[in-house]
């Protein structure tokens, strides 16, 4: 006999969607702090052996975030991420086929405040990455300092996150069997300080390290633009040159992460809070840009490929902006 379950009511679905997003917003800082506290606290209990054994394992496994990580498919396929997808909603769009025998380096733009599109599309299966790009394994780069937190590092790697250093990138891109995709949020934490609704400013004009990396390995570059990524939060006004922006830059230099002062809606009201607005995100993956392999490219060669990448990203934005309610007179600004 076939058993059928009644669908969830709309109010319950919305509560689950909101809960999943709240979990995502607060998980990084809160979970990181809880993991650190638990690791230390266990040493002062009868379960001290857990932390002692984990310390030994941690030392043995220290290089894993730079060696492709260790994904756990059960976590990537969790239903929690599907609720998060439906909250905004978030959608992944393919514009060209990717050869699973080839490795790819993808540039993700813009960063937004919390990089929701990058996380959900490449660190979970909620938007169907494996269905859209069969045979391709995604890896998303993240600041290395997060992988120094006990227990938390394992949670990050379970989704496909890897550390953001050259050794980590090279490990993924030089795999001879192909089928690997390395996504880099090129604007980084600094670009998050310009993330506000309607913004089309990308910190990309002088960011050429990812291009040099692609040339070194002969890896095709793939531009990605995530429409709606900047619309999830309002941000306290911090124009360049202001005391607030200078303070944020200084803290970024010290801590390695930026601290945008953002706000949006609350959990039970829509006036003020830290829960992102329910605004759609559509992450559009462009077509691969062939790159000729050269171990030590000249500055001129890097500049040529970089300019070609800028042109393709501009073209991708212009071709799709009308579909996502971007005004005709609004264009990308590279700084």
């Amino acid at each position: 006999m076939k058993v059928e379950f009644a669908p969830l009511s709309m109010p319950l679905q919305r509560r689950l969607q909101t809960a999943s997003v709240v979990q995502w917003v607060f998980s990084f800082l809160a979970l990181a702090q809880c993991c650190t506290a638990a690791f230390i606290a266990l040493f002062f209990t009868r379960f001290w052996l857990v932390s002692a054994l984990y310390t030994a394992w941690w030392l043995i496994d220290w290089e894993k975030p730079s060696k492709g990580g260790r994904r756990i498919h059960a976590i990537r396929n969790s239903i929690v991420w599907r609720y998060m997808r439906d909250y905004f909603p978030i959608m992944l769009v393919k514009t060209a086929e990717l050869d699973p025998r080839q490795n790819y380096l993808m540039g993700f733009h813009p960063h937004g405040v919390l990089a929701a599109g990058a996380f959900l599309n490449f660190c979970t299966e909620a938007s169907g990455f494996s269905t859209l790009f069969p045979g391709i394994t995604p890896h998303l780069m993240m600041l290395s300092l997060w992988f120094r937190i006990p227990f938390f590092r394992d949670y990050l790697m379970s989704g496909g996150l890897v550390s953001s250093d050259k050794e980590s990138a090279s490990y993924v891109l030089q795999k001879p069997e192909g089928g690997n995709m390395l996504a880099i949020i090129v604007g980084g934490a600094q670009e998050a300080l310009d993330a506000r609704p309607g913004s089309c400013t990308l910190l990309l004009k002088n960011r050429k390290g990812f291009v040099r990396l692609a040339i070194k390995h002969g890896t095709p570059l793939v531009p990605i633009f995530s429409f709606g990524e900047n619309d999830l939060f309002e941000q306290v006004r911090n124009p360049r040159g202001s005391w607030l922006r200078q303070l944020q830059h200084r803290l970024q230099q010290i801590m390695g992460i930026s601290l945008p002062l953002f706000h949006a809606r609350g959990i039970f009201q829509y006036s003020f809070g830290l829960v992102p607005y329910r605004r759609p995100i559509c992450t559009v993956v462009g077509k691969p840009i062939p790159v000729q392999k050269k171990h030590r490219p000249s500055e001129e060669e890097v500049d040529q490929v970089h300019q070609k990448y800028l042109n393709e990203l501009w073209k991708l934005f212009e071709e799709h902006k009308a579909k996502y309610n971007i005004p005709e007179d609004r264009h990308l600004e590279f700084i």
Side-chain angles (χ1 to χ4, degrees):
M1 184 177 76
K2 184 178 180 180
V3 179
E4 295 186 357
F5 295 92
L8 296 174
S9 64
M10 285 301 294
L12 179 56
Q13 285 183 350
R14 289 180 178 177
R15 286 197 293 270
L16 289 172
Q17 291 166 5
T18 303
S20 67
V21 173
V22 171
Q23 173 190 335
W24 163 71
V25 170
F26 295 103
S27 65
F28 275 79
L29 287 177
L31 187 55
Q33 292 174 346
C34 289
C35 287
T36 303
F39 176 75
I40 297 173
L42 283 172
F43 276 113
F44 299 94
T45 70
R46 60 179 178 175
F47 301 107
W48 62 270
L49 189 58
V50 173
S51 288
L53 291 174
Y54 184 85
T55 300
W57 162 250
W58 190 6
L59 294 174
I60 296 172
D61 197 54
W62 183 263
E63 298 295 329
K64 194 62 178 179
S66 298
K67 302 294 183 181
R70 181 174 46 251
R71 67 189 58 232
I72 300 175
H73 293 288
I75 294 180
R76 284 180 58 88
N77 286 282
S78 172
I79 193 174
V80 171
W81 310 127
R82 294 199 290 275
Y83 285 125
M84 176 179 167
R85 174 201 63 196
D86 295 337
Y87 172 87
F88 295 100
I90 295 178
M91 180 171 59
L92 183 64
V93 176
K94 176 177 70 174
T95 63
E97 296 292 338
L98 298 183
D99 186 353
R101 297 168 297 181
Q102 175 74 61
N103 295 321
Y104 296 92
L105 178 57
M106 294 186 170
F108 184 93
H109 314 273
H111 183 287
V113 172
L114 295 177
F119 173 78
L120 191 132
N121 286 314
F122 304 133
C123 297
T124 81
E125 288 295 332
S127 58
F129 182 92
S130 296
T131 302
L132 284 174
F133 302 102
I136 304 294
T137 300
H139 304 267
L140 178 64
M141 300 195 84
M142 188 178 187
L143 285 174
S144 300
L145 66 89
W146 293 108
F147 294 95
R148 298 170 188 166
I149 302 174
F151 303 125
F152 187 61
R153 65 190 292 274
D154 300 283
Y155 168 70
L156 295 177
M157 288 192 289
S158 69
L161 285 157
V162 295
S163 62
S164 57
D165 52 63
K166 291 181 179 179
E167 294 75 15
S168 178
S170 295
Y171 182 88
V172 174
L173 297 178
Q174 68 187 7
K175 288 187 175 182
E177 69 276 12
N180 292 281
M181 180 275 283
L182 181 67
I184 301 177
I185 306 178
V186 181
Q190 189 175 344
E191 190 176 80
L193 299 177
D194 288 314
R196 49 180 44 86
S199 174
C200 292
T201 301
L202 300 181
L203 187 60
L204 186 57
K205 192 173 183 179
N206 296 313
R207 297 272 172 127
K208 301 177 183 178
F210 74 106
V211 173
R212 188 173 284 105
L213 186 65
I215 297 175
K216 179 180 178 181
H217 295 282
T219 306
L221 283 165
V222 181
I224 299 175
F225 194 87
S226 193
F227 292 91
E229 194 74 45
N230 283 336
D231 298 337
L232 305 185
F233 297 95
E234 300 286 349
Q235 189 170 170
V236 174
R237 191 171 180 274
N238 59 341
R240 296 177 182 276
S242 65
W243 68 268
L244 178 56
R245 179 62 74 94
Q246 292 176 359
L247 176 61
Q248 289 172 322
H249 277 308
R250 181 57 180 165
L251 290 174
Q252 181 188 346
Q253 292 173 351
I254 297 172
M255 303 171 61
I257 57 176
S258 64
L259 297 172
L261 299 180
F262 61 90
H263 62 89
R265 52 160 288 190
I267 298 176
F268 303 109
Q269 44 77 31
Y270 296 88
S271 301
F272 186 84
L274 298 179
V275 180
Y277 295 121
R278 299 191 71 161
R279 294 173 179 171
I281 298 174
C282 188
T283 303
V284 182
V285 181
K287 64 181 181 180
I289 303 169
V291 174
Q292 185 176 0
K293 184 176 183 178
K294 189 171 184 180
H295 185 63
R296 292 182 179 177
S298 65
E299 288 299 320
E300 182 179 357
E301 290 170 324
V302 172
D303 289 342
Q304 288 177 352
V305 176
H306 183 260
Q307 186 59 51
K308 188 174 182 179
Y309 180 87
L310 294 182
N311 295 339
E312 289 297 326
L313 180 59
W314 175 282
K315 183 179 178 181
L316 181 70
F317 178 82
E318 293 295 323
E319 287 179 349
H320 292 86
K321 67 180 184 181
K323 302 175 186 176
Y324 307 112
N325 302 317
I326 305 296
E328 184 63 29
D329 61 349
R330 187 171 296 167
H331 309 285
L332 292 182
E333 178 186 3
F334 302 127
I335 59 173

